[in-house]
Amino acid sequence: MAMSTKKKVIVIGAIILVVLVAVLCAVFLTQSADTGSLKEVVATTKQGKLAGEWVDAGDPAHFRYAAFRGIPYAQPPLGKLRFKGPKPLPPWEGIRPATTEGNTCIQDGFVGSEDCLYMNVYTPQMPSAENNPKLPVYVFIHGGAFQHGNSNADGYGPDFLITQDIVVVTMNYRTAIMASLSLDTDELPGNAGLKDQLHVLRWVKENIENFGGDPSKITLGGHSSGSVSACWLAIVPQTKDLIRAAIIQSGTAVSGWSSTNKHIEFAKAIYKHLTGTTTDDKSAMTSVFKSANYLDLYYAAENATLLIQETKGLGTDISFFYAPYIEQREQGEEEKLITKDAESYIIDKDANNIPMIIGETKQEWTRFFSLLGMFENETQLNEHIQNLITYVPPSIRPGSDTQELLRIKEHVPTVNVDDFVKKLREFYFKNDNDKECCTNCKMSKYLHQAYIMADTSHFIRLRSKYIQEPTFAFLFNLKSDYNNDITYLPHYLQSDVVHGDEMGYIWKKEKYTYDYGNNTAAVASRRLVRMITNFVKEGNPTPKIDDEITVKWQPVTHGGEETYLEITENLEQRKGSAADAEIWSEIFSSYRANKSP
């Protein structure tokens, strides 16, 4: 019997409904990528699948990006792997959740876990059958004096960067004693934190295309000790095929605190605090270190640091016992990373020939002055000025590899240290050009120069002479809404633009209330983010000029006058150096027979 018209309509309607449901299900499954939620997104890595989530950047444009948090990038460095370089992670079955940040690496005696080798990937576009975005990638290393910190989004929110269509990668890596303890053996090879970072770069190279990134367009960056680490990685040969550019903020591989030669002495002092005895037997020390409770290791390291400082008569000198060191052992199972001093990598042209941004703040060291009692005691302050050698950068004297390379071994001992210390004292403390500047101000200016700025200037000169690719230098000198709170410091320092002040303009920090309008801080943030992401995309921070980026940022060139971009409420291209380059250049050259800049 023929179907009635009414029944036909019902059947057709049902078919349409079924098709519509099928289409909606297909869309749902595509967006959820088999995880059952519209917010979830899946990426496939060499080790297995990861389920991240789509999140809202929260700015007025309501920009959405995929966040993959807590991605394991190596085996947990536990048991037999304690203190060793990172080992590849075995594959896993199924889909691993990646919506929670990984453990902070253990630090400060009570924070974090030894199981901490986790990273985060943030991407504005995921690849699909129809689209393979291949976006430039920015890999960032957090700072923290080689002892503290993590990559959590409350301090390193990627929101501003991600809106500029780049992929952002942050990481946790071993810090403090778990990263630096070394006997220069296969069991305790050292430089573990730096090797963790290198492992992340290798992971990114291998996997980032599955997150919408381009493995041929990776820029490495870092701040403070993270900047020192990024700079070391930018000059060692192991990264030649891993990165194409670098952004270095407040610390370089030639900084006086960028490396240590006290690693064996430090390990012996730690052993003594743990056992009450001394030994030169590396096997015995290794056994104790491998089995020691972390808290015992931490307090032994803290006490060893104080003991070495007192023994060497360093007093209040800021010493970085947890910094990288030059590995001299025979090559065994454990990879050697740093095998000579930083200058020699550059002069010998072993360093990567890549473009680089190098920057610092106007008053870098102000945040650390609260640790120095001299600023509250005029008598003590004058004693330190007379003993200024305590605060002379050790990097002034070239490392043994650089001495060999420049054939200056015979020349170096003839330099009269007292002469150049006297020059520094006269330049910074007896010069009456700035009569309104108090002695405290003069000492603070000197310390900014001695601990970061003089070394940075030297590194820029080295690059301009030996590296063909451009070097873009900047000085951040803006006091506005997103700077650090330094109200705990004396009144005469509270207007300073200090170490890390630019970070709140680049990274979204939970502690700030951000304004997306046109006030000074908001404009400066957009400007700085655009210049950084332009560089990540093109190797040029200012490819075009407009209403926001008003100045063409000129690179430093060898033989010409030094230049840098000063970032205030406006952008100003300056001639010269952010450091007092003339006096520092003279002192550096005096140890190098004018064969090095």
Side-chain angles (χ1 to χ4, degrees), residues 517-591:
N518 291 310
N519 64 19
T520 297
V523 171
S525 177
R526 288 197 299 270
R527 181 183 285 144
L528 195 50
V529 166
R530 280 186 57 201
M531 290 191 294
I532 284 175
T533 54
N534 283 342
F535 183 76
V536 172
K537 293 173 184 178
E538 304 183 35
N540 180 355
T542 55
K544 64 178 182 178
I545 305 301
D546 55 33
D547 291 343
E548 217 162 55
I549 299 179
T550 55
V551 171
K552 182 73 175 175
W553 190 346
Q554 299 295 334
V556 180
T557 56
H558 178 63
E561 192 170 16
E562 286 189 59
T563 62
Y564 66 94
L565 186 73
E566 185 172 14
I567 301 169
T568 61
E569 291 186 14
N570 301 302
L571 299 177
E572 298 286 347
Q573 183 73 42
R574 304 290 189 190
K575 292 183 178 181
S577 168
D580 296 316
E582 186 174 337
I583 188 168
W584 289 108
S585 178
E586 177 188 347
I587 292 170
F588 274 97
S589 295
S590 69
Y591 267 108

Side-chain angles (χ1 to χ4, degrees), residues 38-68:
L38 284 170
K39 284 190 66 178
E40 291 179 337
V41 56
V42 167
T44 301
T45 71
K46 301 292 184 183
Q47 291 75 39
K49 291 185 176 182
L50 295 163
E53 62 180 343
W54 290 101
V55 297
D56 192 335
D59 69 355
H62 299 294
F63 191 91
R64 200 169 73 132
Y65 62 91
F68 296 84

Side-chain angles (χ1 to χ4, degrees), residues 106-109 144-148 173-182 190-194 197 225 228-229 232 257-263 266-267 270 294 297-306 308-309 319-325:
I106 196 162
Q107 55 196 255
D108 300 329
F146 304 108
Q147 301 169 67
H148 321 284
Y173 56 91
R174 279 171 284 183
T175 55
I177 196 61
M178 307 314 295
S180 60
L181 187 59
S182 171
N191 288 335
L194 207 60
Q197 298 155 12
S225 60
V228 168
S229 297
W232 270 116
W257 45 275
S258 67
S259 62
T260 178
N261 58 5
K262 296 183 175 71
H263 53 287
F266 192 29
I270 292 170
Y294 169 72
L297 273 173
Y298 169 78
Y299 287 115
E302 291 290 290
N303 290 327
T305 300
L306 296 173
I308 292 173
Q309 285 180 323
S319 299
F320 285 75
F321 293 93
Y322 302 98
Y325 82 101

Side-chain angles (χ1 to χ4, degrees), residues 380-399:
Q380 191 180 88
L381 179 62
N382 286 320
E383 287 175 356
H384 282 280
I385 292 170
Q386 291 306 309
N387 192 32
L388 203 62
I389 185 65
T390 303
Y391 300 100
V392 169
S395 51
I396 282 175
R397 185 184 179 114

Side-chain angles (χ1 to χ4, degrees), residues 472-486:
F472 299 91
F474 78 82
L475 179 72
F476 187 81
N477 189 21
L478 173 64
K479 191 76 174 178
S480 190
D481 297 348
Y482 308 153
N483 293 53
N484 291 288
D485 177 13
I486 54 171

